[in-house]
Every structure is written in C-alpha cells, then in structure tokens.
Amino acid sequence: MRRHAAAGLALAASIVLLAGCSAAPSLPPGLTPAGVKALIDEQNAAWWNGMFPDEPQPVIEPVSYDTYEVQGPRVEECMLTAGIPGVTVSGNGGYIFDPNDREVMDAFNRQMYICMMTYPAAFDFDAPEERGYYSPEQLAFIYDYVVERTMPCLNMLGYTMPEPPNRETFIETFYVSGYSLPYYQLSPGLTDTEAWERVLLRCPPPPIGQWYFPTGGSFE
C-alpha cells in the first residue's frame, strides 16, 4: 500500500510540475501573409543559391497551387516532360540517375527547382504554424517554453538533457538547422507508446506547432 501511495504521489508531483511553475505567457501573434511569403521567398533563394551560387535565380510564374497529393504527380510529369538526358523518372516520386555525374546532377537539380516553383504546394496563410512557419516572437516562445518548462520537467523525471543553443542562435538558425525537441534524448530507453504517453502527460511540449516523436505519433 505504501509503495502504491508513494508512486501516486510521485506521479501527481510530476504532473503538476509545469502547473506549479509560473503561468505560461499568452501565445504571441504569428506571421502575416506577407511575412510568410517573404520567408518562403527567402527559403527558395537559399535553395537555389545553395545549388547554383553563380547563376541568377530564375523567376518562375506558378501555373497552379496544389495539395501535396496533386503536386507530386504534376512535378513528376514536369520532370518527365523535360526529358533530362541521364535521368529516368521511375514513378511514385522516384528518379534514377548517376549522382557522381556533375552535369546530370546539375541538370536534375535545376529542373526540379523549376518544376517545384511551377507547381508549388498550396498554402493556408491563416494557419502558417501548421506548416512550420513561425514569427520570431513565436520562436522565442517555443524556446522559452522548452528551456524553462519542458526540460526542467524531464530533469525531474531523471533524464539528463543536452545543453540547448542560446536563444538568439535558436531563433536565427531555426529554418536552417531546425530543432529537435529534447524528447529524442529519451528514445533509447522509451520504446513503447504507453511510456511515451506517460512522459508527454507529465512534461508536454509547447502548445504551439506540430511535434513528432520516435513512436511515429504527433502532438499538436
């Protein structure tokens, strides 16, 4: 009986850990449609310049904005129509070519960029967070929540957390390097869904964004 009572108290203490901290600040505003477009344009420019830094980025007028289910086949058809020598379109989003042939690789990358810009994915500008686009204020909120609430909670459960990047670096490099929530440090010892659910119940992730976990589930 004592053992069960002690376990119950420990569970209760861990569940209320975050509640016992200072109340989480209210969610900051997200990106405006203009802000989302500017960020997407910046990412497309980085994509092109990463491949062809000495070539001007082409200006491409989209033909249509499609769901992912429609975009894939249209991009594939675009690549097939281009008829790039040395590249075979294998279907289901697959392409066969020699990655060691620089000329073929460049031709493939160039045409893939053109096709993706011709048939970009549709975007809901009213909910950019669902596609992983956050305002700097939202990124600051996510960082503070993880560092000040989630990580201390996981420490209380006995897990050792890695040193996080500083706040400015996290915000500045989020769209370059991304960020894995600290739960991934737990994956070697947590192999079943029930164990993960217990951890998520006690130490939830930030209430904004979409976070995926090694079990294949997600927390939105």
Side-chain angles (χ1 to χ4, degrees):
M1 181 65 70
R2 289 182 180 177
R3 182 180 305 171
H4 292 298
L9 289 173
L11 174 60
S14 60
I15 290 177
V16 302
L17 174 64
L18 294 184
C21 298
S22 58
S26 59
L27 293 176
L31 289 169
T32 63
V36 174
K37 186 179 185 305
L39 184 53
I40 292 176
D41 289 343
E42 181 181 325
Q43 291 177 323
N44 289 336
W47 177 17
W48 177 265
N49 292 328
M51 298 184 297
F52 309 107
D54 299 325
E55 296 183 25
Q57 181 183 0
V59 177
I60 301 169
E61 189 67 27
V63 171
S64 63
Y65 291 87
D66 306 304
T67 63
Y68 286 118
E69 292 77 13
V70 175
Q71 181 198 37
R74 286 187 171 170
V75 168
E76 186 174 301
E77 180 64 25
C78 176
M79 294 292 289
L80 181 63
T81 302
I84 308 170
V87 176
T88 300
V89 180
S90 61
N92 297 321
Y95 303 91
I96 302 172
F97 58 92
D98 182 2
N100 296 314
D101 188 322
R102 180 59 182 271
E103 184 175 347
V104 171
M105 174 66 82
D106 285 350
F108 173 84
N109 286 335
R110 186 178 289 105
Q111 189 60 40
M112 177 60 74
Y113 178 88
I114 292 172
C115 290
M116 291 290 288
M117 296 300 101
T118 302
Y119 301 101
F123 194 93
D124 182 0
F125 287 97
D126 292 328
E129 297 86 359
E130 293 182 3
R131 289 276 299 276
Y133 290 97
Y134 309 102
S135 66
E137 294 78 14
Q138 287 177 321
L139 289 177
F141 176 94
I142 291 171
Y143 179 89
D144 292 343
Y145 191 101
V146 169
V147 172
E148 298 174 5
R149 301 171 70 85
T150 305
M151 294 180 72
C153 179
L154 293 172
N155 280 329
M156 183 177 179
L157 294 183
Y159 297 105
T160 301
M161 295 289 100
E163 186 69 22
N166 65 56
R167 197 167 186 258
E168 291 72 21
T169 298
F170 172 82
I171 295 172
E172 291 175 1
T173 64
F174 182 84
Y175 296 107
V176 177
S177 58
Y179 178 70
S180 295
L181 285 175
Y183 302 103
Y184 282 88
Q185 301 295 321
L186 284 56
S187 57
L190 294 177
T191 57
D192 63 275
T193 301
E194 288 186 2
W196 274 105
E197 288 177 347
R198 287 195 295 270
V199 169
L200 295 178
L201 174 65
R202 302 178 188 185
C203 307
I208 184 174
Q210 186 177 57
W211 312 103
Y212 293 90
F213 303 97
T215 55
S218 66
F219 190 103
E220 298 184 64

